[in-house]
Amino acid sequence: MAEETHWEGVENTIEDPEEERVIFKALDSFLQYAKITHFNCTHQRRQAFYALPEAHWRRLAAPPFNYLETLDKVDEAIDSNADLGKAIVKAGLPAFLRVQQTTPGQEHVLPPQWAGQAKYQDVEKARSTIRQFYRDWSAEGARERDACYSPVIKTLLDERSRRQAPDQQQQQQLPPRLKVLVPGAGLGRLVFELCRNGFEAEGNEISYHQLLASSYILNFCPAVGHHSIYPWVHTFSNHRSRANHLRGYPVPDIHCAAELTRAEQDNGFIGSMGMVAADFLCLYSDKDHAETYDAVASVFFLDTAPNLIRYLETIHHCLKPGGLLINNGPLLWHFENNAPGSRDADGDTDTTGIADPGSFELTDDEVMALVEQVGFVIERRETDCHAPYIHDTESMLSTTYRSSFWVARKPETCLKET
């Protein structure tokens, strides 16, 4: 079986005071999730409830409404979500503490100077990360994963078969080990699936919320269904029934180590996987990453670019000649209303996309024209692909992307990059 490796990178980041601040605020935000969410979701609603005329709140407190019981159940759901957040911190915290040894049986704790430092935006990222477990690590999220990940995986499997000579297939030799980069890897499910299918998968992610969560689920979570998450409890709008509002989902749907063992036994081989914490442009545009990867799998990633030209140039730079860029996603340009380097609601500088100032937005047709200008050859394109994203199928409100799926190849012979 492929060697199990935990996400590393502490030594290169912890000495940077700004990086240390971001890391510990991310950890603290998972711990503060329960307190902030209880206040926003139930405490304020109880206050508003008792501000009603007594006859009205008494009617709503009785069957069939049982509104106060609903708030109690929401509190329980928030606590269950918070248990996952605490597990993420418990697994991730030791990697970032300079003093690694503790008394036997004693758990690592957040350094006091960082306790309570997370701000509202940090806690919102923790909440969003917990909700994303529905998409990437629940059985019910398989529909979303199939829509977004399966076309990418199938394209890579076809490419691997194309590169394996017919005589090698007849001799049942192992297929070529294609090296695939997954920028914006999030909670790591696509990286895991590529590994399970025999690819050398490298995920890249800048968000420590996502990195901490993916590290926990890939390396430390002890069993299938170890946690229950309640992704819909944060809002009280557009629910057809209270049962749906309070619906929980067991996560994860698989145990990663067990699944990789099973895949190796069934197929005779598996790939490898790793996660790298870095700004995509800063890391992959350097000389060490030139012509390194057989493919780049871009899923819901390109629209995070403030400057798409730089993204595409970096991908072109790190692909081997003949390598593939496989894209699936919408164009929700993340910087449309928030220029890189601007300050967020808490007054902090937004560090997403730190490698490049300036921003612009293109249409899908314009993106395709730019892809060709950068030097790719478009081999396949599909539009209007149904792509739900953390979609409550029972909600009275439906928001689904019509994503663009396309495959572009770096020519075997191209001008030498300078």
Side-chain angles (χ1 to χ4, degrees):
M1 186 173 128
E3 180 183 356
E4 290 184 284
T5 57
H6 296 173
W7 170 72
E8 299 290 350
V10 180
E11 294 80 3
N12 295 328
T13 60
I14 199 67
E15 299 302 328
D16 182 346
E18 176 60 21
E19 199 78 4
E20 182 179 35
R21 183 181 72 88
V22 173
I23 291 167
F24 281 107
K25 283 176 66 177
L27 288 162
D28 184 48
S29 69
F30 284 111
L31 299 178
Q32 287 204 51
Y33 161 83
K35 176 183 176 182
I36 300 300
T37 309
H38 280 309
F39 178 81
N40 290 333
C41 283
T42 56
H43 175 72
Q44 290 186 323
R45 280 187 170 85
R46 286 188 177 93
Q47 289 183 320
F49 181 80
Y50 283 117
L52 293 169
E54 182 175 355
H56 292 181
W57 69 253
R58 286 192 179 278
R59 174 181 291 187
L60 294 173
F65 310 105
N66 301 312
Y67 193 76
L68 292 174
E69 292 182 19
T70 293
L71 296 181
D72 290 340
K73 291 177 181 177
V74 169
D75 279 330
E76 293 172 2
I78 292 169
D79 286 338
S80 184
N81 287 346
D83 287 341
L84 173 57
K86 293 173 184 176
I88 291 169
V89 174
K90 182 179 178 180
L93 186 58
F96 298 103
L97 294 178
R98 291 184 173 88
V99 180
Q100 296 293 317
Q101 300 298 322
T102 60
T103 304
Q106 180 183 359
E107 294 184 359
H108 293 281
V109 296
L110 199 69
Q113 68 269 29
W114 296 113
Q117 293 300 306
K119 298 182 179 179
Y120 177 77
Q121 291 296 325
D122 301 305
V123 178
E124 277 295 290
K125 291 176 184 177
R127 178 191 64 80
S128 177
T129 299
I130 291 170
R131 288 183 71 244
Q132 195 168 326
F133 274 86
Y134 167 79
R135 173 180 172 84
D136 271 7
W137 294 102
S138 76
E140 291 78 4
R143 176 171 167 267
E144 295 191 9
R145 296 194 296 274
D146 286 344
C148 295
Y149 300 158
S150 292
V152 174
I153 296 171
K154 183 180 184 304
T155 301
L156 286 167
L157 291 172
D158 291 344
E159 176 71 6
R160 186 170 67 189
S161 296
R162 187 188 72 83
R163 296 192 184 193
Q164 188 174 20
D167 59 332
Q168 292 177 323
Q169 296 178 13
Q170 293 176 359
Q171 296 171 15
Q172 296 184 337
Q173 294 184 6
L174 293 180
R177 294 284 295 273
L178 301 188
K179 191 169 185 178
V180 183
L181 173 63
V182 183
L187 295 186
R189 185 61 183 253
L190 180 55
V191 172
F192 170 82
E193 295 296 343
L194 292 174
C195 173
R196 179 155 61 170
N197 280 277
F199 297 95
E200 295 183 14
E202 178 180 317
N204 165 243
E205 180 57 58
I206 194 173
S207 165
Y208 279 109
H209 289 84
Q210 302 281 313
L211 286 161
L212 290 162
S214 64
S215 176
Y216 171 69
I217 210 69
L218 291 169
N219 297 311
F220 299 105
C221 188
V224 172
H226 188 68
H227 300 278
S228 291
I229 61 164
Y230 296 81
W232 322 129
V233 298
H234 305 99
T235 175
F236 281 61
S237 298
N238 290 310
H239 294 295
R240 294 186 185 276
S241 70
R242 196 60 69 190
N244 182 67
H245 180 204
L246 299 171
R247 189 195 308 171
Y249 304 87
V251 295
D253 60 318
I254 57 172
H255 185 264
C256 293
E259 285 299 314
L260 291 181
T261 299
R262 184 177 297 112
E264 186 176 34
Q265 292 171 346
D266 293 343
N267 303 325
F269 69 95
I270 56 172
S272 62
M273 61 179 174
M275 292 284 281
V276 179
D279 178 89
F280 172 70
L281 295 179
C282 289
L283 180 61
Y284 293 97
S285 59
D286 66 14
K287 292 182 179 179
D288 291 339
H289 289 87
E291 299 186 354
T292 301
Y293 302 94
D294 298 287
V296 172
S298 165
V299 179
F300 280 65
F301 174 70
L302 290 186
D303 57 1
T304 68
N307 182 348
L308 183 58
I309 297 173
R310 288 265 284 153
Y311 266 39
L312 293 173
E313 288 177 341
T314 300
I315 292 171
H316 192 274
H317 167 80
C318 69
L319 277 174
K320 298 176 182 177
L324 290 182
L325 167 55
I326 308 168
N327 179 78
N328 195 6
L331 292 177
L332 180 64
W333 296 107
H334 288 210
F335 289 96
E336 181 170 359
N337 299 307
N338 185 26
S342 61
R343 295 190 177 275
D344 61 23
D346 292 319
D348 292 330
T349 300
D350 188 343
T351 57
T352 308
I354 56 177
D356 216 26
S359 63
F360 62 90
E361 303 84 35
L362 298 179
T363 67
D364 192 45
D365 286 342
E366 291 169 339
V367 168
M368 303 314 301
L370 183 59
V371 169
E372 291 183 314
Q373 283 193 8
V374 169
F376 289 98
V377 176
I378 298 171
E379 296 188 344
R380 178 183 172 192
R381 183 190 181 193
E382 298 176 21
T383 57
D384 292 338
C385 302
H386 178 73
Y389 195 94
I390 315 182
H391 179 222
D392 179 3
T393 58
E394 300 300 320
S395 174
M396 298 170 70
L397 174 66
S398 178
T399 302
T400 302
Y401 293 109
R402 297 162 62 187
S403 72
S404 179
F405 173 74
W406 46 267
V407 180
R409 190 179 298 274
K410 179 178 178 178
E412 290 282 355
T413 304
C414 57
L415 294 177
K416 189 68 176 178
E417 299 178 36
T418 57

